[in-house]
Amino acid sequence: MTGRSHVAAIGTYSAATSTGVHTVAVDPDTGALTQLDSVVAGPNPTFVASHPHDEYVYAAVRTEPEGLIKAFQVDNDTGELSLVSSIESGALSPCHCSVDATGEYLFVAHYEGGSVSMLPLGSDGTVAAPTAVVEHSGDSIDPDRQTSPHPHSANPGPANDYLYVPDLGTDQVIVYEIRPAEDDITVHRTVDVAPGSGPRHLSFGPDGEYGYLINELDSTVTVFERAPDGDLSEQSKISTLPADFEGENKTAEVEVHPSGRYVFASNRGRDTIVTFAVAGDELRHIGEIPTGGAWPRHFSVSPTGEFLFVENRDTNGIVVFDIDIETGELTRIDERLAVTEPVCLQWV
């Protein structure tokens, strides 16, 4: 397949005065990465989110005592980043952000702040002050990681009417109703997972029928069936690790292939990407491959479904894998981009 290069944005751990948000061009035929632009965004602009319709990206910046959201316009030809606006995110330590399907709202999960916030977006890409900040409550059984709430991600569901927020600290997925008329979100359901699981990220298949929750603390993926009213019902659960594994591990990212046939998950510690085949309401393990680096905090599948890009934080690089669309098998290819402490890559 021959086509125009894709542009992607990268968030990182970085010092307040260092370049921390980058753009790259991605060759759709080879997966090759070419650096385009970099900007200083503040301390640790770790997670970035793209606007669904326009050339804007939003960076969650871990300033104190309250985080910042910085909005950048992206030139889709040159990758040049231009600051559009900056606003406080609503709580401490924003770790994840996403934009709804309409492009009207940004949602932010705050890990240390124990909160989720909703921020309106302007037609010019600007981000306004939060119209809703909801504090979570509760804890769970892990004495080190679960003494208080830790929302780890916030993503609108397939129909854009509910927001799903896995809380690592309380072993719950909080389902919010998105209420655009009031610029508000309200708790709709609270879905419990096994104590000590540590839910982190949730990804839905392309038809929206099933959701896949990666659990950081017990290295598992839980399969949920999604009801029309937004509720989640657990169907099955599978480990990301072999039965004889005895080391330390924390999972990080989960993503569904655009075909809906495969689910990928990352292991940090074991430092692998695991491939599962979707089999109805279950997952079937079909492969595992080293990430070519250490601590794969995030990965992204290309829009064509042909490549997978792994952000290896501790070895300062992004490694590229070819995806066999017929089998789901991953093969590392000879493409790598040096980036200091990369955290995520999102398509513009």
Side-chain angles (χ1 to χ4, degrees):
M1 178 180 179
T2 301
R4 185 173 182 267
S5 292
H6 300 295
V7 175
I10 299 167
T12 67
Y13 278 105
S14 58
T17 56
S18 301
T19 55
V21 176
H22 312 271
T23 53
V24 294
V26 182
D27 188 302
D29 300 318
T30 66
L33 297 163
T34 304
Q35 181 117 20
L36 297 175
D37 195 18
S38 300
V39 295
V40 175
N44 301 322
T46 55
F47 208 88
V48 294
S50 298
H51 195 284
H53 312 306
D54 293 310
E55 297 171 358
Y56 302 108
V57 295
Y58 303 90
V61 185
R62 296 193 180 191
T63 51
E64 295 184 4
E66 189 168 333
L68 287 177
I69 297 296
K70 292 199 172 183
F72 296 92
Q73 187 168 24
V74 184
D75 186 306
N76 223 4
D77 292 318
T78 67
E80 183 181 1
L81 290 156
S82 304
L83 183 66
V84 174
S85 67
S86 178
I87 199 78
E88 290 184 336
S89 64
L92 175 69
S93 189
C95 64
H96 183 279
C97 58
S98 65
V99 182
D100 82 316
T102 69
E104 295 179 359
Y105 296 102
L106 182 83
F107 299 102
V108 187
H110 300 83
Y111 183 83
E112 294 295 347
S115 304
V116 60
S117 60
M118 175 185 195
L119 294 80
L121 301 177
S123 59
D124 57 355
T126 55
V127 56
T131 55
V133 180
V134 183
E135 293 184 8
H136 288 194
S137 61
D139 54 23
S140 195
I141 64 172
D142 188 292
D144 297 320
R145 301 289 304 280
Q146 295 185 313
T147 59
S148 61
H150 295 302
H152 216 305
S153 58
N155 286 107
N160 207 55
D161 45 6
Y162 297 104
L163 179 73
Y164 294 85
V165 183
D167 193 313
L168 184 147
T170 66
D171 284 322
Q172 295 172 323
V173 179
I174 312 299
V175 184
Y176 289 90
E177 182 182 357
I178 301 172
R179 306 177 67 181
E182 292 84 24
D183 286 341
D184 199 10
I185 52 174
T186 57
V187 175
H188 177 68
R189 295 278 193 277
T190 299
V191 181
D192 295 325
V193 300
S197 296
R200 180 182 172 97
H201 286 184
L202 177 66
S203 182
F204 288 96
D207 63 4
E209 183 178 1
Y210 293 103
Y212 305 91
L213 175 71
I214 197 159
N215 302 297
E216 178 176 332
L217 301 184
D218 69 358
S219 297
T220 61
V221 177
T222 304
V223 181
F224 290 99
E225 185 174 18
R226 179 181 176 274
D229 68 354
D231 200 7
L232 300 175
S233 58
E234 184 173 337
Q235 303 298 304
S236 60
K237 190 174 183 179
I238 190 169
S239 178
T240 65
L241 300 171
D244 59 355
F245 180 74
E246 296 181 349
E248 294 289 328
N249 190 73
K250 296 176 182 178
T251 58
E253 185 59 276
V254 62
E255 187 170 341
V256 185
H257 189 268
S259 68
R261 296 171 58 187
Y262 312 110
V263 173
F264 304 102
S266 66
N267 284 315
R268 296 175 295 174
R270 185 168 172 83
D271 295 332
T272 59
I273 300 294
V274 182
T275 304
F276 300 101
V278 174
D281 60 4
E282 296 182 338
L283 294 178
R284 177 172 55 86
H285 183 280
I286 59 173
E288 182 183 30
I289 190 169
T291 63
W295 214 251
R297 187 174 171 89
H298 186 268
F299 61 85
S300 291
V301 176
S302 65
T304 63
E306 296 179 89
F307 299 102
L308 185 146
F309 302 83
V310 181
E311 291 75 68
N312 289 305
R313 190 197 72 185
D314 288 0
T315 45
N316 301 317
I318 298 175
V319 178
V320 187
F321 294 80
D322 177 80
I323 302 172
D324 186 320
I325 296 177
E326 296 304 316
T327 67
E329 180 182 2
L330 299 179
T331 303
R332 183 179 171 184
I333 61 177
D334 191 22
E335 295 291 347
R336 183 184 185 278
L337 181 71
V339 180
T340 301
E341 294 194 75
V343 172
C344 78
L345 180 151
Q346 303 286 2
W347 305 99
V348 179

